[in-house]
Amino acid sequence: MLKTLLKMTRPINIIIAIITLVVGYFLIGDFPCFALVMQSLGFAFAIGFGNIQNDVLDFESDKRNRPDRPLPSGRISMKAAKVAWISMLVLSVVCGIVDNIISGIFFAVLALLLVAYNTKLKHIPLLKNMTVAFLCTTPLILALIYPAMPRETDLEGMEMAMKLGFLYPAMMFAFLLTTAREIYKDLEDETGDLMAGILTFPIAAGSPTARRFAGVIIAFSWILLPLPVVQGYYPVLFLIIGAAALTPAFAYILIQSKKQNYHKAQSMVKIAMFAGLIALVISKAV
């Protein structure tokens, strides 16, 4: 049962969130070890509870559309799943409180947002996609609002504006590219969603409109690449590495989207997101 519960938490998503959190602190030059441990656990429990609660609420539709999932297949009971997500919700907030009051409030608000998404927001076309994109930026938001560790470094007394300057490129690209990726995922699942009666952005607006909108987001992300350099937060090296890695990736995404190979398009978006983070880390390190 524990193995099944672990799978329901989506461990890959947890790992991605923790990596993003570490990258966020690296970009501002801070590394609060105890806080990182507690915040990583907080995100692990938050993502776990959000995904398990989502599976509980989707039980009836999954019985028809995805009977192989743990709950419909009977590999885990509904009672065990409910106990698991409630426990993880509490543990997420507790981990935040053990860190400090700011983290405690952050994880409490994150829990409310996840519940709102699972119960209401995921049924609203496009807002659903943008909410998922915003959730992907939350590790960076926590790094932004977390107090800098007082020590003899440039971080001492660092103002919010300076921290935002180092973090907003990662937040901006994560939000834009995740929104595009979620639209491509909906385009890929359009036939199944239509049969299941699930209203998504491609179904509501039409596939061509959704495809063009995702393409505009990808193009806009490419246009914004020089912005952190022009503003002086990152060196020209970021633009060189970012353009070299992302230009062919974005071109590939648009080509595959036009061919309606949405699985390849959204897979490349994930790769592009990591390439962008790597470009930021390398340019910051240098």
Side-chain angles (χ1 to χ4, degrees):
M1 186 177 74
L2 288 176
K3 184 178 179 180
T4 302
L5 276 173
L6 179 62
K7 184 178 180 180
M8 291 174 71
T9 63
R10 315 307 198 264
I12 297 298
N13 292 348
I14 292 173
I15 292 171
I16 291 172
I18 292 173
I19 291 174
T20 304
L21 180 68
V22 173
V23 167
Y25 279 112
F26 175 81
L27 292 177
I28 60 174
D30 198 8
F31 208 80
C33 295
F34 178 76
L36 267 172
V37 171
M38 298 313 301
Q39 291 170 16
S40 296
L41 288 173
F43 274 110
F45 287 127
I47 293 169
F49 106 73
N51 283 313
I52 294 176
Q53 185 196 48
N54 184 65
D55 287 351
V56 169
L57 295 174
D58 286 349
F59 177 70
E60 291 300 326
S61 61
D62 283 345
K63 281 199 302 184
R64 297 190 302 271
N65 304 314
R66 300 182 180 181
D68 58 324
R69 282 192 166 183
L71 281 171
S73 65
R75 298 200 304 275
I76 190 169
S77 68
M78 182 67 75
K79 180 180 179 181
K82 288 181 178 179
V83 170
W85 79 253
I86 292 172
S87 300
M88 289 182 183
L89 187 157
V90 173
L91 286 170
S92 175
V93 178
V94 167
C95 285
I97 293 173
V98 170
D99 180 19
N100 67 18
I101 188 63
I102 292 177
S103 293
I105 294 172
F106 173 87
F107 283 109
V109 173
L110 179 59
L112 291 174
L113 180 58
L114 286 166
V115 172
Y117 174 80
N118 286 337
T119 56
K120 298 292 183 182
L121 300 179
K122 72 177 182 180
H123 302 295
I124 304 174
L126 193 57
L127 182 58
K128 158 199 165 184
N129 310 101
M130 297 176 71
T131 302
V132 172
F134 176 77
L135 287 168
C136 288
T137 69
T138 52
L140 298 169
I141 292 174
L142 180 54
L144 172 66
I145 65 175
Y146 195 77
M149 297 291 289
R151 57 175 186 260
E152 297 294 326
T153 68
D154 292 338
L155 257 184
E156 190 171 359
M158 176 183 280
E159 296 183 1
M160 183 70 72
M162 183 64 71
K163 292 173 68 176
L164 180 60
F166 289 128
L167 288 175
Y168 92 85
M171 296 166 64
M172 176 176 64
F173 290 125
F175 178 80
L176 290 172
L177 294 180
T178 302
T179 300
R181 188 194 72 196
E182 289 296 310
I183 293 173
Y184 287 135
K185 286 173 66 176
D186 284 347
L187 283 163
E188 183 184 4
D189 297 339
E190 185 175 5
T191 301
D193 289 337
L194 193 59
M195 293 176 62
I198 300 173
L199 183 63
T200 62
F201 180 53
I203 293 174
S207 298
T209 299
R211 182 170 61 249
R212 284 193 292 267
F213 185 67
V216 168
I217 293 175
I218 296 296
F220 186 59
S221 300
W222 184 80
I223 292 171
L224 290 176
L225 275 176
L227 188 59
V229 177
V230 172
Q231 292 178 317
Y233 290 111
Y234 286 89
V236 177
L237 181 63
F238 165 70
L239 183 57
I240 295 172
I241 298 174
L246 296 179
T247 300
F250 287 171
Y252 179 86
I253 291 166
L254 295 176
I255 291 170
Q256 295 304 319
S257 173
K258 188 174 182 179
K259 293 180 178 179
Q260 299 185 23
N261 293 330
Y262 299 122
H263 180 73
K264 290 183 178 180
Q266 61 111 347
S267 296
M268 182 54 70
V269 173
K270 291 181 183 179
I271 296 173
M273 290 170 64
F274 276 105
L277 281 179
I278 291 171
L280 286 169
V281 169
I282 292 175
S283 58
K284 177 67 176 176
V286 172

